[in-house]
Amino acid sequence: MSADAPPIRVVGTAGHVDHGKSTLIRALTGIDPDRLREERERGMTIDLGFAWLTLPGGADVGIVDVPGHQDFIRNMLAGVGGIDAVVLVVAADEGVMPQTREHLAILELLGIERGVIALTKRDLVDDEWATLVRSEVRAALAATPLADAPLVDVSATTRRGLDDLLAALEAVLGAAPARRDLARPRLPIDRAFTMTGFGTVVTGTLVDGSLRVGDEIEVFPNGLRGRIRGLQTHRRAIDAARPGSRVAANLSGIEKADLARGMVLAPPGTQAPTSTIGARLTLLKDLSGALDHDDLVRVHVGTAEAIARVSVLEGPSIEPGQSGWVQLHLASPLVVAVHDRFVVRRPSPSETLGGGSVADTTGERTRRRSDAAAALERRSAPSPADRLLASLDVPRTVAEAGERSGLDGAARDAAYAALVAEGRAVALADAAISRDAFEVLAIRIERTLAMAHRKTPLRAGASREEVRSALELPAKRYAALVDRLVADGRVAERGSALALPSHVPSLTAEQETAWAKGRAALAIEPLQPPSAATLEREFGIGREVLAALAERGDVVRVGPDAVFLPDAVERFGDAIIDALASGPITVARARDVSGSSRKHVLPLLQFLDDHGLTRRVGDDRILIADPAASRAQLRRAIHPARVQSGGEE
Ligand SMILES: Nc1nc2c(ncn2[C@@H]2O[C@H](COP(=O)(O)OP(=O)(O)OP(=O)(O)O)[C@@H](O)[C@H]2O)c(=O)[nH]1
Ligand SMILES: [Mg+2]
């Protein structure tokens, strides 16, 4: 599989019943696409037929032959989904007929914009008639993407025009864009059968990536897993199948009975069946009536189909020729990707209604239908960056967001880089989020903190967990969000709590009065102060108030019941550091050098231990660092808040 190998193309037929599609394919390829006995007996195509040929230039082309009869339109829909170009067949003797028009409409809805028109059975009419029919065909094609498609007179009987037809097809395919390769292969199954000596075989037109012999695969949506035992394209064994080619895959580990048209083969875990498709639905002009909210339709996408209830998101209905945002609620889940084209038909009376391209497969519920429409609108924005941004309305990995926006790896990465550079997206740990959505989260945090400060003005702030519960973010992303807000100066870390930078725990007037008295009591003998219990009993200064005072830097809580003025702790620490400079000291000596009591010295020494200044060795204390470093460390231990907010200035 070399990179410059000619692209493998797939062409489909289309056109009214009996206009000569299958006969033309047989004449071009030597292969009879009508493989069912019933088809041969009735002289009519019922199900899809497959053939292939080599163009004059050497490129291989797979061919999907579809039935023209209106009863088998669903088979036609399953066949034309993956084609590069169409051979639209119009019989010269009959001209444009109903399914000529219906197939044309379906091709347009599915985004198939290239093709060749074959005016077949040319041997049955004279030149004058042929001229009339040609202008009738041109009129039918006007205002469709095939308006300028080459039109070739052919006859399978006399073989007239067959070479011209192939030349025209070769030119059209040469101008067709390369099939996209997203490295996310999907094989929408159009046939499943057993072959003697091989076992289970499925066929389809491969899209979005390559498959290799030996690959593990999963069948979606039923979840069965197996392995690719062999691959063929146009009956030739190959090691790897490329996107856009017709593929027959021989599977091990999966029974034919578990497979059917409409299922999708892909690497395990790479697809997610959906029950709701969000899209802008465009209705054809000539319909029997409008499409109403809650109407039942049949949705065709890839080789699959499902009944769905239509939720019209704007207004009560969509009129013929108009378009509107809808959600299609599927009766059975389908495997589809954003940007897949789909067609909807009315089950009875049977009628092709319209179609569109999938904008959303997540089926997220919104309170109002108009909100859902607005979300879909954003998600199908024209530029990749805008689409990606619309998917970053909540934190998502860039891969996830890319998938939701229908962007392949390269386009997604470029769009993300641009968004970050423009400040329109923000990274949050493993995820990213739009700037606007980031602001929503930031404001929610600020509001949560403001509320906490109002409710408990004495507390340093709200705990991280408390704030997180207002957001429902996974831990890593939440931590990244908080880090960013702290870095931006919008949120302050106060110990284990979060606060608004402006928040200072505040006391009431009475509490301030009580504290004035308490401070006086603490200052009488700063190194032998009253205990916390005494402060509460005598001055009504409770633990909450003490915590706030500690937060403000008015006191240092040294132990569960020991409270000191900051100056006292500083004096004690300096005295101890001085003494330790000339060797280890005992508790008794610490008491003597500081002029305190044993009861107070014990928690104070513990405080120094806890802050990494000193260490116990037997009955002695020793200094860990040198005296100068220890003094700096002491001041940090006493005034943590001051150091944190002003440390870098
Ligand atoms: N005279 C003449 N008859 C043709 C030509 N092409 C097809 N026919 C005949 O037209 C009839 C229908 O041909 P098919 O090829 O089965 O038509 P089809 O479009 O495949 O029909 P469906 O698949 O049922 O939609 C057959 O009897 C063919 O022999 C032609 O070029 N000249
Ligand atoms: Mg046929």
Side-chain angles (χ1 to χ4, degrees):
M1 197 176 63
S2 72
D4 50 7
I8 300 178
R9 300 297 195 174
V10 180
V11 165
T13 59
H16 198 71
V17 62
D18 251 3
H19 276 201
K21 297 179 288 298
S22 304
T23 307
L24 176 62
I25 297 310
R26 195 165 50 233
L28 289 171
T29 66
I31 300 167
D32 187 354
D34 287 335
R35 60 206 153 75
L36 305 178
R37 190 207 277 168
E38 193 188 351
E39 289 176 323
R40 290 182 177 164
E41 282 172 4
R42 288 171 67 180
M44 172 194 269
T45 305
I46 294 168
D47 204 353
L48 301 174
F50 304 93
W52 62 93
L53 56 76
T54 305
L55 290 169
D60 276 354
V61 178
I63 296 172
V64 181
D65 182 43
V66 309
H69 197 284
Q70 59 172 331
D71 288 354
F72 310 126
I73 279 254
R74 45 195 292 229
N75 293 336
M76 180 270 179
L77 277 158
V80 293
I83 65 176
D84 293 285
V86 65
V87 176
L88 178 70
V89 168
V90 182
D93 56 342
E94 274 199 333
V96 174
M97 295 291 281
Q99 268 62 55
T100 315
R101 295 187 193 280
E102 187 167 18
H103 284 196
L104 256 176
I106 287 172
L107 292 166
E108 186 170 356
L109 291 170
L110 292 177
I112 296 152
E113 303 183 335
R114 284 159 215 279
V116 178
I117 319 302
L119 200 65
T120 54
K121 306 196 188 181
R122 182 62 174 81
D123 55 294
L124 296 182
V125 301
D126 59 23
D127 291 352
E128 204 181 333
W129 182 265
T131 308
L132 279 177
V133 174
R134 268 200 297 271
S135 56
E136 184 196 28
V137 171
R138 281 291 174 210
L141 295 174
T144 79
L146 292 173
D148 299 321
L151 194 158
V152 185
D153 290 10
V154 298
S155 164
T157 313
T158 66
R159 301 193 64 80
R160 164 185 179 170
L162 295 186
D163 290 341
D164 293 345
L165 184 68
L166 286 184
L169 192 58
E170 186 160 43
V172 162
L173 287 173
R179 294 297 284 251
R180 65 179 186 187
D181 188 346
L182 307 181
R184 288 175 58 81
R186 295 186 276 160
L187 184 70
I189 297 174
D190 50 38
R191 265 189 311 162
F193 51 93
T194 30
M195 235 170 109
T196 3
F198 286 95
T200 311
V201 176
V202 296
T203 67
T205 305
L206 182 62
V207 295
D208 289 353
S210 299
L211 288 177
R212 278 175 185 72
V213 173
D215 281 355
E216 261 194 77
I217 45 93
E218 179 172 342
V219 178
F220 296 89
N222 70 17
L224 293 176
R225 295 194 178 190
R227 195 175 284 280
I228 298 179
R229 188 193 284 162
L231 286 171
Q232 285 192 351
T233 191
H234 309 155
R235 293 268 162 86
R236 270 197 326 272
I238 48 173
D239 294 328
R242 288 190 288 151
S245 61
R246 286 291 310 165
V247 172
N250 178 203
L251 306 179
S252 62
I254 299 174
E255 298 295 314
K256 191 233 150 198
D258 295 320
L259 297 166
R261 172 175 296 169
M263 294 179 179
V264 173
L265 204 70
T270 56
Q271 305 291 322
T274 182
S275 293
T276 306
I277 290 174
R280 190 161 184 90
L281 174 63
T282 301
L283 294 192
L284 300 177
K285 276 198 278 299
D286 308 307
L287 295 183
S288 57
L291 179 71
D292 294 328
H293 185 64
D294 275 342
D295 273 0
L296 282 185
V297 296
R298 196 178 279 277
V299 181
H300 299 262
V301 56
T303 61
E305 56 174 272
I307 291 282
R309 191 175 54 71
V310 181
S311 205
V312 176
L313 298 176
E314 300 157 305
S317 56
I318 305 176
E319 296 297 322
Q322 302 294 305
S323 65
W325 290 104
V326 298
Q327 276 181 334
L328 302 168
H329 301 285
L330 307 169
S332 46
L334 291 179
V335 180
V336 298
V338 171
H339 293 331
D340 281 359
R341 297 285 195 135
F342 67 89
V343 165
V344 295
R345 303 194 79 235
R346 210 189 282 284
S348 84
S350 158
E351 175 181 37
T352 297
L353 291 169
S357 113
V358 174
D360 176 62
T361 60
T362 60
E364 269 157 20
R365 292 184 180 280
T366 45
R367 201 129 37 90
R368 286 175 306 170
R369 282 197 266 153
S370 58
D371 290 347
L376 289 171
E377 183 99 55
R378 283 196 304 276
R379 207 165 286 164
S380 48
S383 98
D386 287 332
R387 282 214 303 277
L388 190 68
L389 199 62
S391 295
L392 292 175
D393 52 342
V394 297
R396 291 201 169 89
T397 64
V398 176
E400 247 168 56
E403 206 169 300
R404 288 169 69 98
S405 318
L407 296 173
D408 63 45
R412 173 199 71 203
D413 292 346
Y416 179 59
L419 288 174
V420 171
E422 292 160 13
R424 293 204 288 156
V426 176
L428 280 189
D430 62 323
I433 187 172
S434 73
R435 182 85 229 178
D436 291 350
F438 174 86
E439 269 313 303
V440 169
L441 292 179
I443 289 168
R444 206 175 295 162
I445 288 188
E446 287 171 339
R447 204 180 302 141
T448 306
L449 291 176
M451 263 157 54
H453 297 333
R454 192 150 8 111
K455 249 185 17 210
T456 54
L458 282 175
R459 278 176 59 196
S463 77
R464 283 170 170 266
E465 268 320 298
E466 211 175 316
V467 177
R468 184 180 156 197
S469 64
L471 296 178
E472 294 173 0
L473 273 183
K476 256 201 310 192
R477 296 178 187 176
Y478 170 66
L481 174 66
V482 170
D483 284 353
R484 200 176 169 109
L485 292 175
V486 169
D488 291 350
R490 296 176 67 171
V491 167
E493 287 180 291
R494 302 273 166 81
S496 62
L498 297 178
L500 293 176
S502 58
H503 172 67
V504 181
S506 57
L507 306 188
T508 63
E510 287 138 63
Q511 285 165 333
E512 290 289 0
T513 311
W515 166 232
K517 291 182 191 150
R519 180 209 294 278
L522 287 172
I524 296 170
E525 277 277 21
L527 281 170
Q528 296 188 47
S531 68
T534 308
L535 289 175
E536 172 147 31
R537 199 173 53 241
E538 294 193 3
F539 307 104
I541 298 173
R543 304 211 160 247
E544 286 265 278
V545 178
L546 274 184
L549 289 167
E551 187 65 35
R552 274 185 0 186
D554 283 0
V555 296
V556 179
R557 285 191 295 175
V558 159
D561 197 35
V563 183
F564 291 81
L565 293 174
D567 281 355
V569 182
E570 212 167 309
R571 237 170 58 213
F572 173 83
D574 284 339
I576 299 299
I577 292 166
D578 283 346
L580 283 172
S582 40
I585 59 170
T586 61
V587 171
R589 174 114 180 88
R591 183 193 58 204
D592 296 344
V593 300
S594 63
S596 183
S597 72
R598 185 180 168 81
K599 180 178 114 189
H600 292 99
V601 163
L602 286 175
L604 281 166
L605 286 174
Q606 186 63 46
F607 177 81
L608 300 184
D609 289 349
D610 290 347
H611 285 85
L613 279 102
T614 52
R615 197 168 63 218
R616 259 180 97 147
V617 179
D619 286 340
D620 290 338
R621 283 297 196 297
I622 59 163
L623 206 53
I624 292 174
D626 64 76
S630 298
R631 278 200 188 87
Q633 174 67 15
L634 173 67
R635 274 152 192 79
R636 276 199 295 274
I638 295 171
H639 309 288
R642 211 182 299 164
V643 171
Q644 229 169 46
S645 56
E648 298 300 307
E649 285 163 14

